[in-house]
Amino acid sequence: MKNTNEMEIRFDSKSVNEGFARVAVASFMTQLNPTVEEVADVKTAVSEAVTNSIIHGYENEIHKVSIRCRIEDNVFTVEVCDKGRGIENIEEAMRPMFTTKPEQDRSGMGFAFMEAFMDTVEVESEPGKGTKVKMKKTVGKGREIWTTQSL
Amino acid sequence: MKYQVQEKCLTIYLPREVDHHNAEEMKREADAVIDRNHIKYVIFDFEKTDFMDSSGIGVIMGRYKTICLIGGEIWAVHANARIRKILTLSGAAKIMQIYDEEDKV
Ligand SMILES: Nc1ncnc2c1ncn2[C@@H]1O[C@H](COP(=O)(O)OP(=O)(O)OP(=O)(O)O)[C@@H](O)[C@H]1O
Ligand SMILES: [Mg+2]
């Protein structure tokens, strides 16, 4: 039988919650015995998706962002959802250096980082309805036990 | 934002985590200091930093745009392996000097 575990969090789309979201996901992930590097990869990917929901999805209005994590044996899945403005052209949005907010010093690297640090990244989005980013990573090859490090 | 100005050089001491939450204020303050002191060189000091995402890349690239117009340069110092990876992946490493000391991992 598969070893599974799930958790969900839902929080206001305030930038102060970006750090909270990273730490919450990282701490749920510890049961997989990940390496320091794997934890850093997941934290970066989560930070990118949550920041996108806040600045692009809700354009700095306060609504809810939700994160769902699932562990299935050594596969870690994390989904970040918003009910914001959505993405018209997902393929274009995911292209490295593509950004719709260059005037705000965005450089269009968010999706590129998610793809570099996770095994798979899937985006579902509909204009006016919202966006869901689903990412997976196989973790826990267990070289260095990260729990001895700080979050 | 913690920073130091020496003649035309601004050193920004980045916080432990550079994300969207603290990048906004850093950008505002850095731009004001650059403008006021006719800064030509910006040094990003990563000594205390163990996390940075694309918002940090935005801080660097945005300041580069201003500085390169007047023929200045930007530098990164004390960047650990993780930060260097982020700088390399994003292409920021190509437009800045990364000062390599003994690798601290
Ligand atoms: N949750 C979302 N809701 C609406 N649009 C989004 C969302 N996430 C991403 N996008 C769109 O996709 C584009 C690319 O996102 P990506 O994270 O790669 O770059 P960025 O956020 O613009 O810049 P950076 O992440 O480097 O600061 C965004 O500019 C935005 O138009
Ligand atoms: Mg982004």
Side-chain angles (χ1 to χ4, degrees):
Chain A
M1 227 186 69
K2 287 203 165 179
N3 173 27
T4 65
N5 195 6
E6 290 185 0
M7 77 92 160
E8 270 182 66
I9 48 175
R10 199 158 167 269
F11 50 88
D12 282 345
S13 54
K14 296 182 175 171
S15 68
V16 67
N17 287 330
E18 291 158 3
F20 160 73
R22 292 195 292 271
V23 172
V25 172
S27 97
F28 183 71
M29 188 189 171
T30 57
Q31 54 198 291
L32 283 175
N33 234 1
T35 62
V36 177
E37 178 110 26
E38 286 163 341
V39 174
D41 289 351
V42 168
K43 281 172 87 172
T44 309
V46 167
S47 196
E48 295 301 346
V50 170
T51 303
N52 280 352
S53 290
I54 293 174
I55 60 183
H56 302 295
Y58 294 130
E59 301 194 287
N60 299 313
E61 284 178 16
I62 307 303
H63 300 286
K64 304 291 178 196
V65 177
S66 51
I67 298 184
R68 189 181 301 156
C69 296
R70 181 175 166 84
I71 288 170
E72 205 174 305
D73 292 333
N74 62 343
V75 180
F76 188 70
T77 307
V78 51
E79 288 176 13
V80 177
C81 304
D82 66 65
K83 293 195 169 24
R85 60 172 299 150
I87 303 173
E88 300 241 345
N89 184 339
I90 297 173
E91 210 188 302
E92 178 185 56
M94 292 180 78
R95 216 175 286 150
M97 290 161 68
F98 176 86
T99 181
T100 48
K101 296 202 188 311
E103 76 289 351
Q104 288 179 25
D105 272 349
R106 310 311 312 181
S107 45
M109 290 311 299
F111 279 123
F113 282 164
M114 292 183 242
E115 295 202 290
F117 294 131
M118 302 296 281
D119 297 342
T120 63
V121 179
E122 286 167 34
V123 180
E124 281 171 38
S125 187
E126 210 180 310
K129 293 259 169 66
T131 302
K132 173 155 108 183
V133 178
K134 182 175 181 178
M135 304 180 276
K136 285 191 188 201
K137 188 177 181 72
T138 303
V139 287
K141 285 144 212 153
R143 289 177 298 271
E144 215 178 323
I145 296 172
W146 83 283
T147 40
T148 57
Q149 314 270 322
S150 73
L151 283 171
Chain B
M1 183 181 83
K2 277 173 68 183
Y3 69 92
Q4 194 181 10
V5 175
Q6 276 172 306
E7 298 193 32
K8 286 181 186 309
C9 178
L10 164 66
T11 305
I12 299 176
Y13 300 96
L14 296 159
R16 194 173 67 84
E17 305 202 301
V18 184
D19 64 3
H20 163 242
H21 181 61
N22 51 33
E24 296 305 308
E25 188 188 309
M26 262 165 44
K27 288 193 279 198
R28 255 194 317 274
E29 284 190 48
D31 287 344
V33 176
I34 289 171
D35 196 48
R36 195 171 346 115
N37 299 280
H38 310 287
I39 296 295
K40 203 172 168 192
Y41 303 96
V42 179
I43 301 172
F44 291 95
D45 190 329
F46 289 95
E47 171 100 62
K48 296 238 160 17
T49 308
D50 56 33
F51 179 88
M52 181 170 77
D53 64 16
S54 68
S55 299
I57 297 303
V59 175
I60 296 172
M61 296 301 213
R63 280 358 88 199
Y64 174 71
K65 275 187 215 153
T66 320
I67 293 294
C68 83
L69 286 178
I70 52 160
E73 280 175 16
I74 57 171
W75 288 70
V77 298
H78 299 129
N80 68 21
R82 179 74 195 177
I83 302 298
R84 273 194 235 156
K85 191 168 178 179
I86 297 280
L87 293 174
T88 306
L89 272 172
S90 65
K94 285 188 214 141
I95 54 116
M96 71 199 305
Q97 312 280 335
I98 297 175
Y99 180 73
D100 269 288
E101 45 176 353
E102 299 88 52
D103 289 10
K104 52 163 209 172
V105 181

